[in-house]
């Protein structure tokens, strides 16, 4: 896998479309494979650099922030990017807002590729909340054993609900100072099998699950496990989107890139 830190990944010889895919999601990896197989397109995947060992992609990768709207606008112009697909995680609100502003400034068309959010089924016990602070409050006053399946970002918000006994699952180690006082950290990168999620929640005597409404199939097993065990799920809603044209379809993203 090629990881580009500063040099351009584009070949100037071929007069074809130049796609910037803002990544960090499974959708971005699937799109990378499709772009790499299409001779009309050149592409680069951009990652924030949050994980020390990013998953392989079929396109070159650049890593690290652009430097806000100004930096991203400069990148789009200097690299002569013809199309931008924002395939970041639905909770990565800042980069999506930056992409909207930078694409408008640089005159580059933008498409948001994201997964549909989950909806509760009849036997689900969801409490839907707007953000982490509301999730911490929704756990209630009485101490509970809580599975925090939100990643390491935002875990400090649960220090305000210090009475609970947390099980936090992360890919990368969190900062110790961010953790609530009673918190066990376990490491794992999905997708997770339903039977493993059920076993984990049963073994740790979990009473409530806190998760973001990320959507998609790969992270859904924890929701099914909570349903099977009759557990409360505190479901954190997605941040508001910036109003850019949005699709859930890889085919639609490819059609956009070919337009
Ligand atoms: P964020 O709050 O929206 O972005 C913070 C800053 O990180 C941005 O302003 C930008 O820095 C940089 N950045 C974010 N995504 C980038 C990308 N794909 N390429 C280059 N720079 C990027 O983002 P976040 O919530 O920290 O998420 C960071 C990354 O992790 C995203 O790419 C996202 O897809 C992935 N991810 C996030 C979550 C989540 O729950 N938030 C879950 C799974 C994966 P500059 O302003 O300097 O350009």
């Amino acid at each position: 896998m090629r990881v580009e830190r500063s040099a351009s990944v584009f070949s100037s010889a071929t007069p074809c479309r130049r796609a910037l895919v803002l990544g960090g999601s499974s959708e971005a990896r699937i799109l990378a494979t499709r772009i790499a197989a299409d001779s009309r397109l050149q592409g680069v995947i951009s990652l924030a650099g949050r994980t020390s060992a990013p998953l392989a992609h079929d396109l070159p990768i650049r890593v690290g922030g652009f430097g806000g709207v100004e930096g991203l606008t400069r990148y789009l112009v200097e690299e002569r990017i013809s199309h931008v697909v924002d395939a970041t995680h639905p909770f990565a609100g800042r980069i999506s807002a930056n992409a909207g502003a930078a694409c408008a400034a640089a005159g580059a068309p933008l498409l948001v590729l994201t997964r549909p959010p989950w909806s509760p089924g009849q036997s689900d016990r969801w409490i839907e909340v707007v953000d982490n602070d509301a999730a911490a409050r929704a756990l209630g006053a009485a101490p509970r054993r809580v599975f925090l399946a939100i990643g390491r970002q935002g875990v400090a918000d649960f220090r305000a609900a210090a009475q609970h006994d947390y099980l936090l699952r992360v890919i990368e180690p969190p900062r110790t100072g961010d953790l609530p006082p009673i918190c066990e950290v376990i490491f794992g990168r999905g997708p997770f099998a339903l039977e493993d999620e059920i076993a984990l929640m049963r073994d740790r005597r979990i009473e409530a699950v806190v998760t973001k409404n990320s959507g998609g199939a790969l992270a859904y097993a924890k929701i099914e496990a909570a349903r099977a065990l009759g557990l409360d799920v505190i479901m954190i809603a997605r941040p508001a989107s910036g109003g850019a044209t949005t699709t859930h379809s890889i085919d639609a993203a490819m059609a956009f890139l070919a337009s």
Side-chain angles (χ1 to χ4, degrees):
M1 178 178 63
R2 276 191 294 153
V3 176
E4 308 285 342
R5 290 186 190 277
S6 55
S8 176
V9 300
F10 294 104
S11 134
S12 51
T14 332
C16 59
R17 292 170 180 78
R18 293 178 166 213
L20 169 66
V21 179
L22 299 168
S25 66
S26 51
E27 291 76 14
R29 293 180 66 233
I30 296 167
L31 185 63
T33 303
R34 293 281 300 271
I35 294 172
D38 190 323
S39 59
R40 298 166 300 174
L41 306 175
Q42 292 187 60
V44 61
I45 299 284
S46 177
L47 300 178
R50 300 281 188 270
T51 50
S52 50
L55 294 172
H57 292 67
D58 288 335
L59 285 178
I61 291 176
R62 67 159 299 286
V63 178
F66 294 94
V69 174
E70 195 184 321
L72 181 51
T73 306
R74 193 178 323 114
Y75 181 90
L76 297 178
V77 172
E78 286 177 357
E79 293 293 339
R80 292 184 284 120
I81 298 294
S82 62
H83 294 72
V84 178
V85 178
D86 174 6
T88 56
H89 188 273
F91 280 77
R94 195 175 335 153
I95 186 68
S96 294
N98 290 357
C103 286
L110 169 67
L111 181 71
V112 175
L113 171 64
T114 191
R115 39 191 114 145
W118 299 314
S119 312
Q122 272 200 336
S123 51
D124 282 322
R125 297 161 51 116
W126 284 21
I127 300 164
E128 296 183 77
V129 297
V130 294
D131 57 20
N132 287 352
D133 292 336
R137 285 194 300 274
L139 287 168
R144 303 170 92 181
R145 294 184 60 86
V146 177
F147 181 28
L148 261 189
I150 59 164
R152 66 183 163 149
Q153 291 189 63
V155 67
D157 296 329
F158 291 84
R159 288 174 62 81
Q163 70 275 29
H164 304 298
D165 183 349
Y166 294 98
L167 176 68
L168 171 70
R169 183 166 63 198
V170 289
I171 297 174
E172 301 275 327
R175 282 195 303 244
T176 315
D178 284 352
L179 297 177
I182 315 167
C183 184
E184 180 188 353
V185 180
I186 56 172
F187 294 90
R189 183 179 226 156
F192 301 98
L194 174 58
E195 57 269 28
D196 293 340
E197 295 290 63
I198 290 176
L200 177 71
M201 293 182 200
R202 194 174 267 152
D203 289 352
R204 308 301 172 109
R205 295 177 286 110
I206 295 297
E207 295 165 296
V209 177
V210 180
T211 182
K212 299 171 178 173
N213 195 338
S214 304
L218 294 182
Y220 193 60
K222 58 180 176 266
I223 310 298
E224 292 179 290
R227 181 187 305 141
L229 297 172
L231 305 182
D232 287 344
V233 173
I234 316 296
M235 183 62 71
I236 303 167
R238 296 179 173 194
S241 74
T245 306
T246 298
T247 184
H248 301 312
S249 155
I250 300 283
D251 285 341
M254 288 302 290
F256 162 78
L257 290 172
S259 65

